Amino acid sequence: MAEVNALVVATDGEVTMSGAKKAKANYDKVAKKKPDPAGLALGEEAAAALTAKDYARAKELFEKGQALCEVSKAKATKSKVPPKPEDAGSGGDGGGGGKNASATAASAATEAAAAEEEVEKEVHLPQPGSEGHLVAKFKANLPAIAKNFAVNTPKRMAAHLAATGGKWQTRFPPEPNGYLHIGHAKAMYFDFGVAARFGGHTYLRFDDTNPAAEKQEYVDSILGSVEWLGHQPFKVTYSSNYFDQLHEYAVQLIKMGKAYVCHQSKPETAASRQLLQGFQMHCARNNMQRYETPLPSGAESPHRNRTVEENLKLFDEMSKGVWEEGSCCLRMKGDLRADITSMWDLAAYRIKFEAHPHSKDKYCIYPTYDFTHCLVDSLENITHSLCTLEFETRQAPNGPYYWLLDALGLYKPITWEFARCNITYNVMSKRKLNTLVMKGYVNGWDDPRLLTLEGLRRRGYTPSAVNQFCRELGVTRNDNVQHLGRLEQCIREELDNVADRRFAVLDPLPLKITNHPGGAALPVDAPLHPKFPERGSRSLSMTSTVFIEHTDFMEVDDKSFFGLAPNKTVRLLFGYNVTCTGVNKDPLSGKVVSLEATYDPESMGSKPPKGTLHWASTHFIKGEVRIYDKLFSVEIPGKRDGLGAGVRTRVA
């Protein structure tokens, strides 16, 4: 570090905003060409200091970051398209076995590894052990009276670094209450990619705190989807692994006077919340200090000031099944005057007389997500807890995530939020997906019309195409909706190169070639792939009768129509020119049932007419073809008329 420190210029007197911005401009020029990870992390911290108007600190950090980048061997690289897999995945049954399955898994793993260096193109997270980790979450406009709970003590940080060896540790924490969808693929791409880029680890943690909604079927599906996408967890854990420790933390909170057993009903709790909202609005409109203004009567739970002894007794009774389900819960005693509603005494434990898929019937009380998530992050020494934006207020530096860790004196991970993956004509909520499945709008979680990962797999998507889509999306904090066509384009581009060509006629119309020589079929040589002649060819047979699509024939020709019509000549793809000489119709319905034509024996290899048609001989193989349209008829389902209003019920 001597070389780096020598490059830092000490300043006398106060540093101005222009001085800090000049240091930033110099840093940006160097960091763009030599993006050293440690230098980029310092740049993030410097930017935060600049926002907080700590210009001296910002200037110092920008200069340190610039110095690190200047001496670094890192080089800026352009995004690379991953290599195409040798074999396209089979989409019919969503599976595949033997060599094909192994090849698909190996291809996915290779593709996922190639993605690691691209995953953080626009996101620079603090390094483990850095100042941005000591202060795990910074908010420039934190209210003056609010406390930043996200500060690690040097002792806690030292213990954390000793446990991790300074490695990056992220986690992918799905709740096993349904199948994963394309949004989870994006989260996995980020979670696993960030850790892998810096030689770290990623936990696959099942957030199994609600036994009423969780099934082993979902656990198995999630494990399969993670493997299919090529991700390799460092460890597979369950929140339920920590239930005993979480129970001890709950008792500790009660003894500290920071948790209480509440017997308010749901309507009573809702009424209290409304009073608190009214209190917030009243203080804001009248420019009154919230912490100097009494709360309105009824805003506070009548059980909030129970004694420690009474709360311990009631919580023990909850644990033993004395109280009925829904009659009471354990609440964290947060801050009822906070402008963050999630600080208003969130539930920590509730009673559920349900057998748990993992812990079986050991417990009848279960911790909530808000109580469990941060504690297990801390217990697993996660360095970077990456979540979608709906958790942003909960993970604010003065929010419940850090409040709980601070109250218990535990290590605090870095948290960072990013935008969800929303796609037109689809829903990305497991609750809504569950509604579609349970009400029979679709045929299970793996219905190919859904954007669940198993649905995409059945539809023929490959893991490399899904990962490519996630790579192209990148990571942003701006809410957005991606068009379905962008996802479809990823699989089209991949299959365009890797898939050999075959003909399929879905609505066959017989075409009898009246001047066919008869006997043996006429051989037609067709390339396996027109773009890659080196792959070889296949031999087709032009029999005396071939089949074209009904839609490729019109009784009355049109100049914009490139198909067949009476007395019109077209090319049978890779074969001969044919001219329509007759039309046969059903005498009752008047529907065209067959055509007659002549072929030109000298036309093969010549310049084709404007129409070229795919076709099938009488040597065809029958197959089942499922044609799916978009599941919903509206771009944003459920926005106006409810979830079921826009569902297409007909499947071709």
Short mmCIF file of all heavy atoms in Angstrom, two decimals, residues 420-466:
data_model
loop_
_atom_site.label_atom_id
_atom_site.label_comp_id
_atom_site.label_asym_id
_atom_site.label_seq_id
_atom_site.Cartn_x
_atom_site.Cartn_y
_atom_site.Cartn_z
N ARG A 420 -37.14 -5.99 -9.84
CA ARG A 420 -37.67 -7.29 -10.23
C ARG A 420 -37.64 -7.46 -11.74
O ARG A 420 -37.50 -6.48 -12.48
CB ARG A 420 -39.13 -7.44 -9.76
CG ARG A 420 -39.31 -7.55 -8.27
CD ARG A 420 -40.78 -7.49 -7.92
NE ARG A 420 -41.53 -8.57 -8.56
CZ ARG A 420 -41.96 -9.65 -7.94
NH1 ARG A 420 -41.73 -9.80 -6.65
NH2 ARG A 420 -42.64 -10.58 -8.58
N CYS A 421 -37.79 -8.69 -12.17
CA CYS A 421 -37.90 -8.99 -13.60
C CYS A 421 -39.38 -9.11 -13.94
O CYS A 421 -40.04 -10.06 -13.54
CB CYS A 421 -37.16 -10.29 -13.92
SG CYS A 421 -37.32 -10.81 -15.64
N ASN A 422 -39.90 -8.13 -14.65
CA ASN A 422 -41.30 -8.15 -15.09
C ASN A 422 -41.34 -8.28 -16.61
O ASN A 422 -40.60 -7.60 -17.31
CB ASN A 422 -42.02 -6.86 -14.66
CG ASN A 422 -42.08 -6.72 -13.15
OD1 ASN A 422 -42.56 -7.60 -12.45
ND2 ASN A 422 -41.57 -5.61 -12.65
N ILE A 423 -42.21 -9.15 -17.11
CA ILE A 423 -42.29 -9.42 -18.55
C ILE A 423 -43.75 -9.33 -18.99
O ILE A 423 -44.65 -9.81 -18.29
CB ILE A 423 -41.71 -10.81 -18.88
CG1 ILE A 423 -40.23 -10.85 -18.47
CG2 ILE A 423 -41.86 -11.14 -20.35
CD1 ILE A 423 -39.55 -12.17 -18.73
N THR A 424 -43.97 -8.73 -20.14
CA THR A 424 -45.33 -8.54 -20.63
C THR A 424 -46.05 -9.87 -20.85
O THR A 424 -45.43 -10.89 -21.12
CB THR A 424 -45.32 -7.76 -21.96
OG1 THR A 424 -44.50 -8.47 -22.92
CG2 THR A 424 -44.78 -6.36 -21.78
N TYR A 425 -47.36 -9.81 -20.72
CA TYR A 425 -48.26 -10.96 -20.95
C TYR A 425 -48.02 -12.10 -19.96
O TYR A 425 -48.40 -13.24 -20.22
CB TYR A 425 -48.14 -11.49 -22.39
CG TYR A 425 -48.48 -10.46 -23.43
CD1 TYR A 425 -47.48 -9.82 -24.14
CD2 TYR A 425 -49.81 -10.11 -23.69
CE1 TYR A 425 -47.78 -8.86 -25.10
CE2 TYR A 425 -50.12 -9.15 -24.65
CZ TYR A 425 -49.10 -8.52 -25.35
OH TYR A 425 -49.40 -7.58 -26.28
N ASN A 426 -47.41 -11.80 -18.82
CA ASN A 426 -47.12 -12.83 -17.82
C ASN A 426 -47.20 -12.24 -16.42
O ASN A 426 -47.15 -11.02 -16.25
CB ASN A 426 -45.72 -13.42 -18.04
CG ASN A 426 -45.66 -14.32 -19.24
OD1 ASN A 426 -45.98 -15.50 -19.16
ND2 ASN A 426 -45.26 -13.77 -20.39
N VAL A 427 -47.30 -13.12 -15.42
CA VAL A 427 -47.24 -12.70 -14.03
C VAL A 427 -45.99 -13.31 -13.41
O VAL A 427 -45.59 -14.42 -13.74
CB VAL A 427 -48.50 -13.12 -13.25
CG1 VAL A 427 -49.71 -12.34 -13.71
CG2 VAL A 427 -48.78 -14.62 -13.37
N MET A 428 -45.36 -12.56 -12.51
CA MET A 428 -44.10 -12.98 -11.90
C MET A 428 -44.23 -13.13 -10.39
O MET A 428 -43.25 -13.03 -9.68
CB MET A 428 -43.01 -11.95 -12.20
CG MET A 428 -42.61 -11.88 -13.65
SD MET A 428 -41.74 -13.36 -14.16
CE MET A 428 -42.81 -13.84 -15.49
N SER A 429 -45.43 -13.37 -9.91
CA SER A 429 -45.65 -13.55 -8.48
C SER A 429 -46.05 -15.00 -8.24
O SER A 429 -46.95 -15.53 -8.91
CB SER A 429 -46.77 -12.62 -8.00
OG SER A 429 -47.37 -13.10 -6.82
N LYS A 430 -45.37 -15.66 -7.28
CA LYS A 430 -45.72 -17.05 -7.00
C LYS A 430 -47.15 -17.16 -6.46
O LYS A 430 -47.82 -18.17 -6.68
CB LYS A 430 -44.73 -17.67 -6.02
CG LYS A 430 -43.45 -18.14 -6.70
CD LYS A 430 -42.66 -19.13 -5.87
CE LYS A 430 -41.92 -18.47 -4.76
NZ LYS A 430 -41.01 -19.41 -4.06
N ARG A 431 -47.61 -16.13 -5.78
CA ARG A 431 -48.99 -16.14 -5.30
C ARG A 431 -49.96 -16.14 -6.48
O ARG A 431 -50.94 -16.91 -6.50
CB ARG A 431 -49.24 -14.91 -4.41
CG ARG A 431 -50.67 -14.78 -3.90
CD ARG A 431 -50.82 -13.54 -3.05
NE ARG A 431 -50.46 -12.33 -3.76
CZ ARG A 431 -51.27 -11.70 -4.60
NH1 ARG A 431 -52.49 -12.17 -4.85
NH2 ARG A 431 -50.88 -10.58 -5.18
N LYS A 432 -49.69 -15.31 -7.49
CA LYS A 432 -50.56 -15.28 -8.66
C LYS A 432 -50.41 -16.54 -9.50
O LYS A 432 -51.39 -17.06 -10.06
CB LYS A 432 -50.26 -14.04 -9.49
CG LYS A 432 -50.63 -12.73 -8.79
CD LYS A 432 -50.27 -11.52 -9.64
CE LYS A 432 -50.67 -10.23 -8.93
NZ LYS A 432 -50.29 -9.03 -9.72
N LEU A 433 -49.18 -17.03 -9.62
CA LEU A 433 -48.98 -18.28 -10.34
C LEU A 433 -49.73 -19.42 -9.67
O LEU A 433 -50.32 -20.28 -10.33
CB LEU A 433 -47.48 -18.60 -10.41
CG LEU A 433 -46.64 -17.71 -11.33
CD1 LEU A 433 -45.16 -17.96 -11.11
CD2 LEU A 433 -47.00 -17.95 -12.79
N ASN A 434 -49.71 -19.43 -8.34
CA ASN A 434 -50.43 -20.47 -7.59
C ASN A 434 -51.93 -20.38 -7.86
O ASN A 434 -52.61 -21.41 -7.98
CB ASN A 434 -50.14 -20.31 -6.10
CG ASN A 434 -50.71 -21.46 -5.29
OD1 ASN A 434 -50.37 -22.61 -5.50
ND2 ASN A 434 -51.60 -21.13 -4.36
N THR A 435 -52.44 -19.16 -7.99
CA THR A 435 -53.87 -18.98 -8.30
C THR A 435 -54.19 -19.58 -9.67
O THR A 435 -55.20 -20.27 -9.84
CB THR A 435 -54.23 -17.48 -8.29
OG1 THR A 435 -54.00 -16.96 -6.98
CG2 THR A 435 -55.69 -17.26 -8.67
N LEU A 436 -53.33 -19.32 -10.66
CA LEU A 436 -53.55 -19.88 -11.99
C LEU A 436 -53.54 -21.40 -11.97
O LEU A 436 -54.34 -22.05 -12.64
CB LEU A 436 -52.47 -19.38 -12.95
CG LEU A 436 -52.46 -17.88 -13.28
CD1 LEU A 436 -51.24 -17.53 -14.12
CD2 LEU A 436 -53.74 -17.47 -14.01
N VAL A 437 -52.64 -21.98 -11.17
CA VAL A 437 -52.54 -23.44 -11.09
C VAL A 437 -53.73 -24.02 -10.35
O VAL A 437 -54.39 -24.96 -10.82
CB VAL A 437 -51.21 -23.85 -10.41
CG1 VAL A 437 -51.18 -25.36 -10.18
CG2 VAL A 437 -50.02 -23.42 -11.25
N MET A 438 -54.03 -23.46 -9.17
CA MET A 438 -55.09 -24.01 -8.33
C MET A 438 -56.48 -23.87 -8.95
O MET A 438 -57.35 -24.71 -8.74
CB MET A 438 -55.06 -23.35 -6.94
CG MET A 438 -53.81 -23.65 -6.13
SD MET A 438 -53.62 -25.41 -5.75
CE MET A 438 -52.28 -25.86 -6.87
N LYS A 439 -56.70 -22.81 -9.71
CA LYS A 439 -58.02 -22.59 -10.33
C LYS A 439 -58.14 -23.23 -11.71
O LYS A 439 -59.17 -23.08 -12.37
CB LYS A 439 -58.32 -21.09 -10.41
CG LYS A 439 -58.56 -20.47 -9.04
CD LYS A 439 -59.11 -19.05 -9.16
CE LYS A 439 -59.47 -18.47 -7.80
NZ LYS A 439 -60.07 -17.12 -7.89
N GLY A 440 -57.09 -23.92 -12.13
CA GLY A 440 -57.17 -24.68 -13.37
C GLY A 440 -57.04 -23.88 -14.64
O GLY A 440 -57.38 -24.37 -15.72
N TYR A 441 -56.55 -22.64 -14.55
CA TYR A 441 -56.32 -21.86 -15.77
C TYR A 441 -55.19 -22.48 -16.61
O TYR A 441 -55.15 -22.31 -17.82
CB TYR A 441 -55.97 -20.41 -15.43
CG TYR A 441 -57.12 -19.60 -14.89
CD1 TYR A 441 -57.09 -19.11 -13.58
CD2 TYR A 441 -58.23 -19.29 -15.67
CE1 TYR A 441 -58.14 -18.35 -13.08
CE2 TYR A 441 -59.27 -18.53 -15.18
CZ TYR A 441 -59.23 -18.07 -13.88
OH TYR A 441 -60.27 -17.33 -13.40
N VAL A 442 -54.25 -23.14 -15.92
CA VAL A 442 -53.12 -23.78 -16.60
C VAL A 442 -53.00 -25.21 -16.09
O VAL A 442 -53.60 -25.59 -15.08
CB VAL A 442 -51.80 -23.01 -16.33
CG1 VAL A 442 -51.84 -21.63 -16.96
CG2 VAL A 442 -51.52 -22.91 -14.84
N ASN A 443 -52.19 -25.99 -16.78
CA ASN A 443 -52.04 -27.40 -16.44
C ASN A 443 -50.81 -27.64 -15.58
O ASN A 443 -49.86 -28.30 -16.00
CB ASN A 443 -51.97 -28.24 -17.72
CG ASN A 443 -53.21 -28.09 -18.57
OD1 ASN A 443 -54.32 -28.04 -18.05
ND2 ASN A 443 -53.04 -28.01 -19.88
N GLY A 444 -50.80 -27.08 -14.39
CA GLY A 444 -49.69 -27.29 -13.47
C GLY A 444 -48.62 -26.21 -13.56
O GLY A 444 -48.63 -25.36 -14.46
N TRP A 445 -47.68 -26.27 -12.62
CA TRP A 445 -46.60 -25.29 -12.54
C TRP A 445 -45.67 -25.35 -13.74
O TRP A 445 -44.98 -24.36 -14.04
CB TRP A 445 -45.79 -25.50 -11.26
CG TRP A 445 -46.47 -25.05 -10.02
CD1 TRP A 445 -47.29 -25.80 -9.21
CD2 TRP A 445 -46.40 -23.77 -9.40
NE1 TRP A 445 -47.73 -25.06 -8.14
CE2 TRP A 445 -47.18 -23.80 -8.23
CE3 TRP A 445 -45.74 -22.57 -9.73
CZ2 TRP A 445 -47.33 -22.70 -7.39
CZ3 TRP A 445 -45.88 -21.48 -8.89
CH2 TRP A 445 -46.66 -21.55 -7.74
N ASP A 446 -45.61 -26.50 -14.40
CA ASP A 446 -44.72 -26.62 -15.55
C ASP A 446 -45.45 -26.45 -16.88
O ASP A 446 -44.95 -26.87 -17.92
CB ASP A 446 -43.97 -27.95 -15.52
CG ASP A 446 -44.92 -29.15 -15.62
OD1 ASP A 446 -46.14 -28.96 -15.48
OD2 ASP A 446 -44.41 -30.27 -15.83
N ASP A 447 -46.62 -25.83 -16.86
CA ASP A 447 -47.34 -25.52 -18.10
C ASP A 447 -46.42 -24.67 -18.98
O ASP A 447 -45.89 -23.65 -18.53
CB ASP A 447 -48.63 -24.77 -17.78
CG ASP A 447 -49.54 -24.61 -18.99
OD1 ASP A 447 -49.09 -24.03 -19.99
OD2 ASP A 447 -50.70 -25.08 -18.94
N PRO A 448 -46.23 -25.05 -20.25
CA PRO A 448 -45.30 -24.31 -21.11
C PRO A 448 -45.69 -22.86 -21.38
O PRO A 448 -44.88 -22.10 -21.90
CB PRO A 448 -45.31 -25.12 -22.42
CG PRO A 448 -45.76 -26.48 -22.02
CD PRO A 448 -46.74 -26.27 -20.91
N ARG A 449 -46.92 -22.48 -21.04
CA ARG A 449 -47.32 -21.08 -21.24
C ARG A 449 -46.85 -20.19 -20.10
O ARG A 449 -46.86 -18.97 -20.21
CB ARG A 449 -48.84 -20.99 -21.38
CG ARG A 449 -49.38 -21.65 -22.64
CD ARG A 449 -50.89 -21.78 -22.59
NE ARG A 449 -51.30 -22.68 -21.53
CZ ARG A 449 -52.56 -22.89 -21.16
NH1 ARG A 449 -53.53 -22.21 -21.74
NH2 ARG A 449 -52.85 -23.74 -20.19
N LEU A 450 -46.44 -20.80 -18.98
CA LEU A 450 -45.95 -20.03 -17.85
C LEU A 450 -44.45 -19.77 -18.00
O LEU A 450 -43.74 -20.53 -18.66
CB LEU A 450 -46.18 -20.80 -16.54
CG LEU A 450 -47.62 -21.08 -16.13
CD1 LEU A 450 -47.65 -21.91 -14.85
CD2 LEU A 450 -48.40 -19.78 -15.93
N LEU A 451 -43.98 -18.71 -17.36
CA LEU A 451 -42.55 -18.43 -17.37
C LEU A 451 -41.88 -18.99 -16.12
O LEU A 451 -40.87 -18.46 -15.64
CB LEU A 451 -42.30 -16.93 -17.48
CG LEU A 451 -42.71 -16.29 -18.80
CD1 LEU A 451 -42.20 -14.86 -18.89
CD2 LEU A 451 -42.23 -17.09 -20.00
N THR A 452 -42.44 -20.09 -15.58
CA THR A 452 -41.69 -20.84 -14.57
C THR A 452 -40.52 -21.50 -15.30
O THR A 452 -40.56 -21.75 -16.51
CB THR A 452 -42.55 -21.92 -13.91
OG1 THR A 452 -43.03 -22.83 -14.92
CG2 THR A 452 -43.73 -21.31 -13.18
N LEU A 453 -39.46 -21.80 -14.57
CA LEU A 453 -38.30 -22.40 -15.22
C LEU A 453 -38.62 -23.78 -15.78
O LEU A 453 -38.12 -24.15 -16.85
CB LEU A 453 -37.13 -22.47 -14.23
CG LEU A 453 -36.61 -21.10 -13.76
CD1 LEU A 453 -35.45 -21.27 -12.80
CD2 LEU A 453 -36.19 -20.25 -14.95
N GLU A 454 -39.48 -24.52 -15.09
CA GLU A 454 -39.85 -25.84 -15.63
C GLU A 454 -40.81 -25.69 -16.81
O GLU A 454 -40.80 -26.53 -17.72
CB GLU A 454 -40.44 -26.71 -14.52
CG GLU A 454 -39.43 -27.06 -13.45
CD GLU A 454 -39.75 -28.36 -12.73
OE1 GLU A 454 -40.57 -29.15 -13.22
OE2 GLU A 454 -39.16 -28.57 -11.65
N GLY A 455 -41.61 -24.65 -16.82
CA GLY A 455 -42.45 -24.37 -17.98
C GLY A 455 -41.62 -23.99 -19.19
O GLY A 455 -41.85 -24.47 -20.31
N LEU A 456 -40.61 -23.13 -18.98
CA LEU A 456 -39.71 -22.75 -20.06
C LEU A 456 -38.95 -23.97 -20.58
O LEU A 456 -38.73 -24.12 -21.78
CB LEU A 456 -38.73 -21.68 -19.58
CG LEU A 456 -39.30 -20.28 -19.34
CD1 LEU A 456 -38.29 -19.41 -18.61
CD2 LEU A 456 -39.70 -19.63 -20.65
N ARG A 457 -38.57 -24.83 -19.67
CA ARG A 457 -37.81 -26.02 -20.05
C ARG A 457 -38.67 -26.94 -20.93
O ARG A 457 -38.18 -27.47 -21.93
CB ARG A 457 -37.37 -26.75 -18.78
CG ARG A 457 -36.33 -27.83 -18.99
CD ARG A 457 -35.87 -28.37 -17.66
NE ARG A 457 -34.87 -29.41 -17.83
CZ ARG A 457 -34.32 -30.06 -16.82
NH1 ARG A 457 -34.65 -29.77 -15.58
NH2 ARG A 457 -33.42 -31.01 -17.05
N ARG A 458 -39.92 -27.10 -20.56
CA ARG A 458 -40.83 -27.91 -21.39
C ARG A 458 -41.05 -27.27 -22.75
O ARG A 458 -41.25 -27.96 -23.75
CB ARG A 458 -42.18 -28.09 -20.68
CG ARG A 458 -42.19 -29.15 -19.61
CD ARG A 458 -43.59 -29.41 -19.14
NE ARG A 458 -44.43 -29.95 -20.21
CZ ARG A 458 -45.76 -29.96 -20.20
NH1 ARG A 458 -46.41 -29.45 -19.16
NH2 ARG A 458 -46.43 -30.47 -21.20
N ARG A 459 -41.03 -25.96 -22.78
CA ARG A 459 -41.29 -25.26 -24.04
C ARG A 459 -40.10 -25.34 -24.98
O ARG A 459 -40.21 -25.03 -26.16
CB ARG A 459 -41.63 -23.81 -23.74
CG ARG A 459 -42.16 -23.03 -24.94
CD ARG A 459 -42.97 -21.84 -24.51
NE ARG A 459 -43.50 -21.10 -25.66
CZ ARG A 459 -44.54 -20.30 -25.59
NH1 ARG A 459 -45.19 -20.16 -24.45
NH2 ARG A 459 -44.96 -19.66 -26.66
N GLY A 460 -38.95 -25.75 -24.48
CA GLY A 460 -37.78 -25.91 -25.33
C GLY A 460 -36.67 -24.92 -25.07
O GLY A 460 -35.66 -24.91 -25.79
N TYR A 461 -36.80 -24.08 -24.05
CA TYR A 461 -35.73 -23.15 -23.71
C TYR A 461 -34.54 -23.91 -23.14
O TYR A 461 -34.71 -24.92 -22.45
CB TYR A 461 -36.21 -22.11 -22.69
CG TYR A 461 -36.94 -20.95 -23.30
CD1 TYR A 461 -38.27 -21.08 -23.70
CD2 TYR A 461 -36.32 -19.73 -23.50
CE1 TYR A 461 -38.95 -20.02 -24.28
CE2 TYR A 461 -36.99 -18.65 -24.07
CZ TYR A 461 -38.30 -18.81 -24.46
OH TYR A 461 -38.97 -17.76 -25.03
N THR A 462 -33.37 -23.43 -23.43
CA THR A 462 -32.15 -24.01 -22.89
C THR A 462 -31.66 -23.15 -21.72
O THR A 462 -31.95 -21.95 -21.65
CB THR A 462 -31.05 -24.07 -23.95
OG1 THR A 462 -30.75 -22.73 -24.37
CG2 THR A 462 -31.50 -24.89 -25.16
N PRO A 463 -30.89 -23.74 -20.81
CA PRO A 463 -30.35 -22.92 -19.71
C PRO A 463 -29.46 -21.78 -20.21
O PRO A 463 -29.45 -20.70 -19.63
CB PRO A 463 -29.56 -23.93 -18.87
CG PRO A 463 -29.40 -25.14 -19.72
CD PRO A 463 -30.54 -25.15 -20.66
N SER A 464 -28.72 -22.03 -21.29
CA SER A 464 -27.84 -20.98 -21.81
C SER A 464 -28.65 -19.80 -22.35
O SER A 464 -28.24 -18.65 -22.22
CB SER A 464 -26.92 -21.54 -22.90
OG SER A 464 -27.66 -22.26 -23.86
N ALA A 465 -29.82 -20.08 -22.95
CA ALA A 465 -30.66 -18.98 -23.46
C ALA A 465 -31.24 -18.18 -22.30
O ALA A 465 -31.33 -16.95 -22.37
CB ALA A 465 -31.78 -19.54 -24.33
N VAL A 466 -31.65 -18.86 -21.22
CA VAL A 466 -32.19 -18.16 -20.05
C VAL A 466 -31.11 -17.30 -19.42
O VAL A 466 -31.33 -16.13 -19.06
CB VAL A 466 -32.76 -19.17 -19.04
CG1 VAL A 466 -33.17 -18.47 -17.74
CG2 VAL A 466 -33.95 -19.92 -19.63
#
